[in-house]
Amino acid sequence: MAAWSVEIDPAHSHGPMLASVLDHGRPPASLALSHGSSASNTARLRATLDWLAPRVGSLVVVEGSYLARWNRMAFDPVSEADARREAAAEASLARRRIERVLGERCPAARFLDWAELAGSPEVRDTTLALDRHANEDAAFGAAVRREIADYVGRTRGIDPASLPEECRERLAGYIVEETAVLLELQRRGFPVEVYHGPDLPLLAAIGAGRFPGLPFACPGRTHLSLRLVKPLSSSFGPP
């Protein structure tokens, strides 16, 4: 069976360490996998890890099933306790599958539990700082709202202005937690952020130090956007 191939998306990859990755300089990196993303299925994850192995050094992997509880709370009639419990169960299944592939392809890589990261003192402090700044700084608050609008438009195809206030607050919780966790990975020494998709505008702006008063500038932060290319069908013989 033909394997998936991996390509860099140059339009959405940027940062000072991009050349190091391309030159097999092996800088430390994190790989973020979205909840339910096809990029985390076994064959595609194997392809991604095989591509990364000679190009990055220390590698940590995070997966967003637990983060997705904010979606459930925003759009479904579910309590926070139930959303957390269901998200934790999904995250556990995803972790077992991902760690199995890591063991096959990249034994030195570490899987970091999203719930543990989000509950760490460092991420909780960052979350509080981001929430406070969104209320105190008009430009930052507007940037958070734009991120919500982009996310809801992309994933649900709806105008966030039509949503109840409580729903928008839950979505803000999603955006802020995601941003805080990814900033924590930068703080822990993983400047290259690998993702199968474009960068988050809010995170990029924070990392670049564009919001005075937020002490989270990450001058080395590099976003590496990958895309997986479907293998050609082998049902037809060679020409």
Side-chain angles (χ1 to χ4, degrees):
M1 181 179 178
W4 288 84
S5 59
V6 177
E7 296 177 350
I8 291 180
D9 182 353
H12 294 112
S13 297
H14 60 86
M17 304 197 76
L18 188 57
S20 178
V21 175
L22 299 180
D23 293 341
H24 295 210
R26 309 194 78 237
S30 65
L31 169 62
L33 300 168
S34 296
H35 168 63
S37 168
S38 61
S40 68
N41 75 27
T42 299
R44 300 183 198 197
L45 182 55
R46 283 173 178 155
T48 297
L49 293 172
D50 289 348
W51 189 92
L52 288 173
R55 294 173 172 86
V56 304
S58 300
L59 178 68
V60 294
V61 180
V62 294
E63 192 274 338
S65 288
Y66 190 73
L67 174 67
R69 73 192 187 283
W70 290 104
N71 279 333
R72 292 292 312 279
M73 292 188 288
F75 294 107
D76 298 333
V78 61
S79 69
E80 181 171 354
D82 286 344
R84 286 180 180 274
R85 182 168 54 252
E86 292 167 11
E90 288 189 39
S92 179
L93 290 173
R95 176 173 187 163
R96 287 199 294 272
R97 175 172 46 78
I98 291 166
E99 286 190 323
R100 184 170 61 249
V101 180
L102 290 178
E104 296 172 2
R105 286 305 208 263
C106 197
R110 291 183 293 133
F111 184 93
L112 300 182
D113 183 84
W114 189 283
E116 292 178 6
L117 284 167
S120 68
E122 295 84 1
V123 172
R124 283 157 59 180
D125 286 347
T126 300
T127 298
L128 289 172
L130 295 174
D131 279 334
R132 184 170 57 250
H133 209 63
N135 291 324
E136 296 174 352
D137 183 273
F140 185 66
V144 172
R145 290 191 294 275
R146 283 194 300 272
E147 198 86 8
I148 293 170
D150 177 69
Y151 174 74
V152 174
R154 185 177 69 251
T155 61
R156 301 269 174 166
I158 58 178
D159 180 358
S162 66
L163 298 173
E165 178 63 25
E166 183 179 3
C167 178
R168 293 198 298 273
E169 288 177 358
R170 299 295 195 187
L171 292 170
Y174 179 106
I175 297 298
V176 168
E177 181 179 299
E178 180 180 41
T179 301
V181 167
L182 295 178
L183 285 171
E184 175 63 12
L185 296 180
Q186 293 287 316
R187 191 193 70 79
R188 293 190 183 191
F190 299 95
V192 178
E193 178 185 282
V194 184
Y195 184 66
H196 296 87
D199 201 356
L200 299 173
L202 180 67
L203 183 61
I206 294 171
R210 294 177 191 160
F211 296 108
L214 280 179
F216 305 121
C218 310
R221 181 177 178 271
T222 297
H223 184 82
L224 178 62
S225 178
L226 299 183
R227 55 191 174 204
L228 288 151
V229 180
K230 189 174 183 179
L232 295 175
S233 172
S234 60
S235 58
F236 299 98

